[in-house]
């Protein structure tokens, strides 16, 4: 038979678990701007249009310099797609989780010891490039507070807001 203190502990743990699991849902339902899709289609046209035009048009300067508008369009499209991901802010600690000080592993959520995760082998130190540990993976847990987010962001990805 459970005592009153044990039942309150169980209720408290359940409430904490529900709160922790609500953060990924809250993060995934961030507002998306509808104009982003229209601008993305226009930029895609800027990237693909000049090479097609250069292929079919034989007496134009675009035949020689088609890569200039395509390169500019490609750079703008990549910046727009990064912007369209939305802000990289943790709903709990309100830090930018792509560049905040990592106290927790962003792959499994465990506490980091000297910049390394003992559970999944993630290495956040400067020597990570020389080891066999996974270097580039999506951020699943906030490195600042350790809550579950399940994002499409990577560490040190720029242009968050």
């Amino acid at each position: 038979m459970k005592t009153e203190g044990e039942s309150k502990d169980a209720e408290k743990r359940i409430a904490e678990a529900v709160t922790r699991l609500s953060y990924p849902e809250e993060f995934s339902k961030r507002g998306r701007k509808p104009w982003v899709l229209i601008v993305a289609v226009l930029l895609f046209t800027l990237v693909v249009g000049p090479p097609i035009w250069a292929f079919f048009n034989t007496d134009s300067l675009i035949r020689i310099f088609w890569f200039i508008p395509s390169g500019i369009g490609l750079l703008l499209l990549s910046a727009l797609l990064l912007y369209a991901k939305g802000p990289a802010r943790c709903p709990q600690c309100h830090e930018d989780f792509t560049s905040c000080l990592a106290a927790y592993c962003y792959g499994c959520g465990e506490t980091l010891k000297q910049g390394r995760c003992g559970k999944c082998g993630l290495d956040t130190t400067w020597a990570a490039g020389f080891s066999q540990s996974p270097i580039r993976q999506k951020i699943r847990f906030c490195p600042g507070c350790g809550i579950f987010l399940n994002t499409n962001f990577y560490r040190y990805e720029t242009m968050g807001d």
Side-chain angles (χ1 to χ4, degrees):
M1 192 168 157
K2 291 184 179 179
T3 65
E4 189 175 318
E6 289 177 353
S7 65
K8 285 185 181 180
D9 265 353
E11 289 175 9
K12 185 178 177 183
R13 284 186 289 160
I14 290 171
E16 286 175 0
V18 168
T19 303
R20 282 182 64 97
L21 292 176
S22 69
Y23 285 123
E25 183 178 346
E26 179 184 335
F27 186 79
S28 67
K29 290 185 178 178
R30 294 170 297 142
R32 301 281 190 246
K33 295 173 178 66
W35 60 266
V36 171
L37 181 63
I38 296 166
V39 173
V41 169
L42 291 174
L43 286 174
F44 182 75
T45 305
L46 180 65
V47 169
V48 175
I52 292 173
W53 187 10
F55 183 75
F56 289 112
N57 194 359
T58 57
D59 50 339
S60 174
L61 279 178
I62 195 87
R63 177 117 174 131
I64 300 169
F65 299 111
W66 64 267
F67 58 88
I68 294 172
S70 290
I72 292 170
L74 192 61
L75 288 173
L76 292 174
L77 185 62
S78 65
L80 178 72
L81 293 178
L82 188 59
Y83 172 78
K85 282 184 170 183
R89 299 263 180 240
C90 175
Q92 182 175 348
C93 66
H94 306 291
E95 292 287 328
D96 180 358
F97 52 75
T98 60
S99 61
C100 68
L101 185 62
Y104 295 89
C105 176
Y106 57 87
C108 67
E110 293 293 316
T111 305
L112 292 176
K113 291 173 181 51
Q114 296 178 348
R116 293 182 176 92
C117 178
K119 184 176 179 183
C120 70
L122 184 76
D123 187 1
T124 60
T125 62
W126 66 271
F130 301 110
S131 67
Q132 296 297 322
S133 65
I135 295 173
R136 187 155 167 86
Q137 57 178 297
K138 291 181 181 176
I139 297 174
R140 296 196 55 216
F141 292 85
C142 176
C145 62
I147 65 158
F148 181 63
L149 293 174
N150 201 20
T151 72
N152 288 325
F153 287 92
Y154 295 93
R155 285 291 280 177
Y156 307 112
E157 191 171 35
T158 57
M159 267 186 63
D161 286 332

